[in-house]
Amino acid sequence: MVRAPCCQKMGLKKGPWTAEEDHILVTYIQQHGHGNWRALPKLAGLLRCGKSCRLRWTNYLRPDIKRGNFSREEEDAIINLHQMLGNRWSQIAARLPGRTDNEIKNVWHTHLKKRLKSNQTEPDSRVHFYSRKTEQELEPIDDSSYCAKSDSLDCASVSPAQCTSSNTSYVTTSDDDNNNNSNNVCVTFDNYQANLPEPDDSFWSEVLSTEYSDETVNEFQAFGGDLQVNMGPTDGGFSLDMYNDNNMDFWFNIFSGAEEIPELLGI
DNA sequence: AAGATCTGCAACCGCCCTAAA
DNA sequence: TTTTAGGGCGGTTGCAGATCT
């Protein structure tokens, strides 16, 4: 058997798809499914290679694709996931329903990479919160502040090296947005140290036991590696997610909401 | 107003993995 | 065990529209 060149056969069309081609492809797949991509264009009457058809379908024509701009929440999710997964776009896409790996890859290269680069600071070991207060007015932010100002909050992550065994939590973050012109300021863990207790064993135990059984947590930990907890802003306030370094299939949302996390952090 | 440059994104390329022959 | 087809994936390209000068 000799491998036939996929997209280099004479007479096969390349380049942008026309509305008519889209219609033919969608109609065919709706009626017959896509089964064998290589055979599909011939059966459907398209002068395209199977690979081109597959890409057009998966990246553009699939009915479950969400079109339109990415929300701030989605962008933050991509940034967080990219920190964990690197350029594994398909894995990132799997966690963002309706978005394709190609779309996420484009957003990363055109928006998010620049956003991170322009705001990048030295890596540190502080947890960052943002408020519309001026730096001189730093003070502990109460729950209602978080709720009301969730749209001005940026990325924060809290990552204990071990959920149940560490005495001192390891706290890290990415400094994502020092956007002064919107009067946002960065409130660091250091600034809060007097008022914000470091999350300790009891904090993580409480978080985990609230939502998950011991069995689930044990299974989660059995894969080894560090338990990681990511906290970031969402439309509703905060989302706290737990994942395992060594097995990305383990990904749990612990909380979503404005109230619980500041409360648990003792803010 | 027009040409130059930049930006965003759809599509392609080529490598890799897996299942089947 | 080897070879191949099929499909998945990440990197890159090229074009069209937007913005700048």
Side-chain angles (χ1 to χ4, degrees):
Chain A
M1 285 188 283
V2 178
R3 181 190 288 229
C6 174
C7 301
Q8 294 166 1
K9 289 177 182 172
M10 294 298 289
L12 289 187
K13 195 178 167 192
K14 287 170 67 175
W17 281 64
T18 64
E20 188 187 359
E21 287 176 310
D22 284 348
H23 178 71
I24 292 170
L25 181 59
V26 169
T27 303
Y28 182 87
I29 290 176
Q30 282 173 346
Q31 289 175 358
H32 304 97
H34 55 70
N36 183 331
W37 283 111
R38 183 161 290 200
L40 186 148
K42 194 173 181 179
L43 295 170
L46 286 164
L47 287 174
R48 295 273 183 175
C49 69
K51 197 168 185 174
S52 179
C53 293
R54 180 171 58 81
L55 284 171
R56 183 63 179 169
W57 174 256
T58 55
N59 288 336
Y60 201 84
L61 298 175
R62 246 171 46 206
D64 56 330
I65 285 180
K66 193 198 289 183
R67 311 300 306 176
N69 293 336
F70 280 62
S71 67
R72 181 71 177 203
E73 185 182 347
E74 286 177 309
E75 290 185 353
D76 289 330
I78 292 169
I79 289 169
N80 286 335
L81 288 164
H82 188 269
Q83 278 186 327
M84 293 182 293
L85 300 169
N87 293 356
R88 281 175 276 185
W89 307 114
S90 59
Q91 289 191 35
I92 294 173
R95 294 186 167 82
L96 289 171
R99 300 298 189 181
T100 68
D101 53 356
N102 204 39
E103 204 177 8
I104 290 168
K105 185 168 52 180
N106 283 334
V107 167
W108 174 261
H109 287 302
T110 57
H111 295 109
L112 303 183
K113 203 163 69 174
K114 289 175 195 166
R115 183 176 134 196
L116 285 177
K117 194 176 179 181
S118 65
N119 296 310
Q120 199 159 23
T121 60
E122 288 296 311
D124 60 25
S125 57
R126 299 167 297 181
V127 62
H128 293 199
F129 296 114
Y130 293 84
S131 78
R132 293 197 185 281
K133 299 169 187 293
T134 68
E135 195 157 6
Q136 288 70 36
E137 292 173 331
L138 292 181
E139 59 184 84
I141 300 171
D142 61 24
D143 293 0
S144 58
S145 300
Y146 277 104
C147 188
K149 294 172 179 172
S150 61
D151 63 336
S152 72
L153 294 169
D154 221 290
C155 177
S157 66
V158 180
S159 305
Q162 287 290 342
C163 178
T164 58
S165 63
S166 63
N167 292 324
T168 305
S169 294
Y170 173 62
V171 182
T172 186
T173 186
S174 63
D175 189 356
D176 194 23
D177 188 356
N178 289 325
N179 191 354
N180 292 328
N181 60 15
S182 64
N183 205 24
N184 286 349
V185 295
C186 172
V187 181
T188 69
F189 188 84
D190 292 340
N191 291 114
Y192 267 111
Q193 208 153 23
N195 302 305
L196 176 64
E198 287 193 28
D200 57 14
D201 288 356
S202 64
F203 166 73
W204 300 114
S205 299
E206 185 179 355
V207 168
L208 297 177
S209 63
T210 302
E211 294 292 312
Y212 297 100
S213 67
D214 289 346
E215 188 182 348
T216 302
V217 175
N218 289 339
E219 188 182 1
F220 191 94
Q221 291 185 293
F223 278 85
D226 289 344
L227 285 182
Q228 300 288 328
V229 177
N230 250 23
M231 183 170 70
T234 69
D235 289 343
F238 274 104
S239 171
L240 187 60
D241 301 312
M242 177 174 73
Y243 63 93
N244 182 300
D245 259 358
N246 289 355
N247 188 320
M248 287 303 170
D249 290 336
F250 277 95
W251 174 276
F252 300 126
N253 177 259
I254 302 172
F255 286 121
S256 290
E259 306 300 327
E260 299 91 340
I261 291 168
E263 189 181 324
L264 279 164
L265 286 171
I267 300 169

